[in-house]
Amino acid sequence: MKKQDEFGRRRRQLMKDIGRDGIAILPAAPVRHRNGDVHYEYRQDSDFWYLTGFGEPEAVAVLIPHRPQGEYVLFCRERDPERERWDGSRAGTQGAVKRHGADDAFPIGDIDEILPGLLESRGRVFYTMGLHHEFDQRVIGWVNGLRAQAKHGLHTPQEFVALDHLLHDMRLYKSRPELDTMRRAAQIAVAAHRRAMRRARPGAFEYEVAAEIVHEFHRNRAGPSYQPIVGGGNNACVLHYVENSAELEDGDLLLIDAGCEYDYYASDITRTFPVNGRYTPAQRAVYEVVLEAQLAAIDRCRPGHHWNEPHDAAVKAVTHGLVHLGLLKGKVPKLVKEGAFRRFFMHKTGHWLGMDVHDVGDYKVGDEWRVLEPGMVLTVEPGIYVPKGTKGVPKEFQGIGIRIEDDVAVTRGEPDVLTGELEKHPDAIEAWMQAA
Ligand code: GLY
Ligand code: MN
Ligand code: MN
């Protein structure tokens, strides 16, 4: 399927939901200033990209179902040879129509004159409030301007409707082309983790290992989907450790949580392996508990199971394992009920994954957990963390932080582990590291 067809299909689906009386307005992501004349790397807003495939800033997409002169209007920057010499090429209004599927396109500078006319005959404005504050004010201004003229008999918008609610439900179900892209993002991250496993050794620094990962992303036309976490020894117990500055020590584990974004889709993988290539008995014992929990959770990623079932399975396995290791004392069902595991496993077992690493989509419908369906993609990432100095814990377990994370697509059949090629069993990891 051509990519343009996919964007068009999404616009048509959304317009069906919006109906004849509605209009949807989406701004492109703003350029974000870093310092001096420097900006952060530009990344299009995920919702905007999902519907348009248009990667430029200073653009606004408008969808107006059943408008005879065209349903998809794109406001964008005009061509400008002088500016393009500095900043690179632009599609311009002609390119927006010819190459990006817009029915009509206007210069972004003309939006104040044109947009009120598009709003005029519509009752409901579908818009995501609160995301782009400056743009919120402009949308309110256009609508209020029309309302002020309502006494002249104009039909004006009466209602704002949360666009993200509709759109995010669409984004939760990944199409075949989206799954193909996510599989590629997963493969690139698998290669990056393999490379990191072979680069790590006592005396190397966390940032050197991080550099290997990022190198592998970039050589595959991808970039980090979030700041990589490369935590040796006790640093692995800091859940969002991104400093990546310490020297790796013989006898420690290294936890790497790193994924890439490829063509707007994210992967998100964690592996934990021994810096010197061999797990100690204590490390291996904890690792096997996390692995068992992760496999049990993955097995729950099937249609008809609800969102929290993988987490429940992981919690049960982790609690059972912690009792077995002597880190918790008592009966498993009671400890689960009391939440005793939270001392060592304090996060949830996963999140939706897609264009955003923590992707959009509701986890509950009303008061009930969402039921998993084919096309949904989630991460499965239980962990056990025993920081140094944890009271009542034998020395050999202290300074161990282990998480194992894979990306799983729900299918009609078996869970499809997109990142499943990456070594995960301790023997396989040791073998991979030794073959270096
Ligand atoms: N890397 C962020 C997460 O695992 O949720
Ligand atoms: Mn994750
Ligand atoms: Mn992660």
Side-chain angles (χ1 to χ4, degrees):
M1 186 196 274
K2 282 219 318 280
K3 272 204 161 160
Q4 275 310 327
D5 297 346
E6 170 99 349
F7 296 120
R9 186 185 62 71
R10 293 170 187 166
R11 289 192 296 268
R12 283 193 297 281
Q13 189 184 333
L14 181 66
M15 284 196 278
K16 243 197 220 154
D17 293 341
I18 287 175
R20 279 181 180 274
D21 193 35
I23 178 169
I25 304 173
L26 293 98
V31 172
R32 292 194 168 85
H33 183 241
R34 185 161 185 266
N35 55 37
D37 293 328
V38 176
H39 297 109
Y40 284 102
E41 186 183 354
Y42 187 72
R43 162 60 156 75
Q44 188 54 278
D45 176 83
S46 294
D47 285 343
F48 187 92
W49 177 268
Y50 183 77
L51 289 177
T52 65
F54 190 72
E56 294 184 25
E58 296 182 66
V60 175
V62 187
L63 298 177
I64 319 134
H66 300 282
R67 176 174 173 264
Q69 308 91 312
E71 300 182 299
Y72 171 31
V73 173
L74 190 61
F75 293 88
C76 63
R77 302 178 302 188
E78 289 184 271
R79 301 290 313 265
D80 178 343
E82 175 64 17
R83 282 313 323 162
E84 289 182 49
R85 219 178 130 90
W86 288 85
D87 302 332
S89 68
R90 303 170 169 189
T93 49
Q94 273 189 4
V97 173
K98 279 211 183 98
R99 296 198 303 280
H100 295 277
D103 296 317
D104 224 342
F106 300 103
I108 186 73
D110 294 350
I111 194 165
D112 285 324
E113 281 81 70
I114 296 169
L115 196 61
L118 299 174
L119 282 166
E120 204 171 84
S121 56
R122 303 275 157 168
R124 306 203 302 163
V125 181
F126 289 74
Y127 176 70
T128 303
M129 232 10 123
L131 204 58
H132 304 295
H133 295 287
E134 272 178 46
F135 198 76
D136 288 354
Q137 297 310 313
R138 298 185 66 189
V139 174
I140 292 167
W142 291 320
V143 170
N144 283 344
L146 284 172
R147 282 183 183 160
Q149 299 171 41
K151 52 182 173 299
H152 305 300
L154 224 56
H155 177 67
T156 61
Q158 296 302 312
E159 205 183 325
F160 276 104
V161 186
L163 174 62
D164 44 344
H165 197 72
L166 289 180
L167 212 42
H168 294 178
D169 210 63
M170 284 170 67
R171 278 177 54 190
L172 184 53
Y173 298 86
K174 275 70 178 175
S175 67
R176 189 162 292 278
E178 285 181 292
L179 287 170
D180 289 345
T181 306
M182 291 191 75
R183 203 176 300 282
R184 180 73 193 124
Q187 280 169 351
I188 295 167
V190 165
H193 277 261
R194 282 186 170 155
R195 187 174 168 137
M197 283 177 191
R198 289 199 165 166
R199 180 70 183 81
R201 57 181 56 101
F205 282 82
E206 291 163 348
Y207 54 80
E208 293 180 85
V209 179
E212 296 293 322
I213 291 169
V214 175
H215 180 127
E216 193 63 27
F217 291 165
H218 285 307
R219 70 186 281 273
N220 285 290
R221 224 180 180 199
S225 51
Y226 53 91
Q227 270 181 283
I229 294 167
V230 182
N234 202 53
N235 293 339
C237 300
V238 179
L239 295 178
H240 293 159
Y241 177 79
V242 290
E243 205 176 300
N244 301 347
S245 60
E247 188 170 344
L248 299 177
E249 303 213 12
D250 201 358
D252 276 354
L253 289 175
L254 177 58
L255 181 153
I256 299 183
D257 183 345
C260 69
E261 180 175 304
Y262 175 78
D263 198 12
Y264 282 89
Y265 286 83
S267 53
D268 182 4
I269 304 182
T270 307
R271 287 293 184 269
T272 311
F273 56 90
V275 168
N276 65 13
R278 286 272 180 215
Y279 292 90
T280 65
Q283 289 167 350
R284 188 179 265 256
V286 180
Y287 190 96
E288 280 173 352
V289 172
V290 180
L291 181 56
E292 198 164 314
Q294 206 235 10
L295 295 174
I298 289 175
D299 194 54
R300 308 303 286 177
C301 300
R302 296 170 187 272
H305 291 188
H306 68 65
W307 164 261
N308 218 39
E309 282 185 58
H311 181 62
D312 290 341
V315 160
K316 209 162 141 197
V318 164
T319 305
H320 186 272
L322 288 171
V323 169
H324 188 71
L325 294 173
L327 299 191
L328 286 180
K329 290 185 180 38
K331 292 257 182 287
V332 172
K334 185 160 179 279
L335 290 169
V336 167
K337 214 163 155 206
E338 291 167 357
F341 59 91
R342 288 204 190 95
R343 197 168 159 223
F344 302 104
F345 173 28
M346 59 293 287
H347 55 76
K348 293 291 273 186
T349 300
H351 48 83
W352 300 128
L353 182 73
M355 298 185 75
D356 300 350
V357 181
H358 288 194
D359 206 28
V360 296
D362 291 334
Y363 291 97
K364 280 192 166 177
V365 180
D367 287 336
E368 303 291 331
W369 291 112
R370 184 146 205 155
V371 174
L372 299 177
E373 294 179 56
M376 295 177 175
V377 182
L378 64 155
T379 67
V380 179
E381 49 178 308
I384 292 178
Y385 312 90
V386 191
K388 280 188 179 149
T390 305
K391 293 223 164 51
V393 170
K395 258 251 162 335
E396 71 261 30
F397 291 120
Q398 297 201 11
I400 290 180
I402 295 173
R403 178 163 65 254
I404 308 174
E405 176 174 29
D406 281 302
D407 304 344
V408 181
V410 180
T411 76
R412 276 174 218 295
E414 292 298 303
D416 183 0
V417 184
L418 305 178
T419 47
E421 280 175 23
L422 182 57
E423 285 68 19
K424 180 157 74 174
H425 192 279
D427 293 340
I429 289 178
E430 287 183 354
W432 174 260
M433 292 182 75
Q434 266 136 41

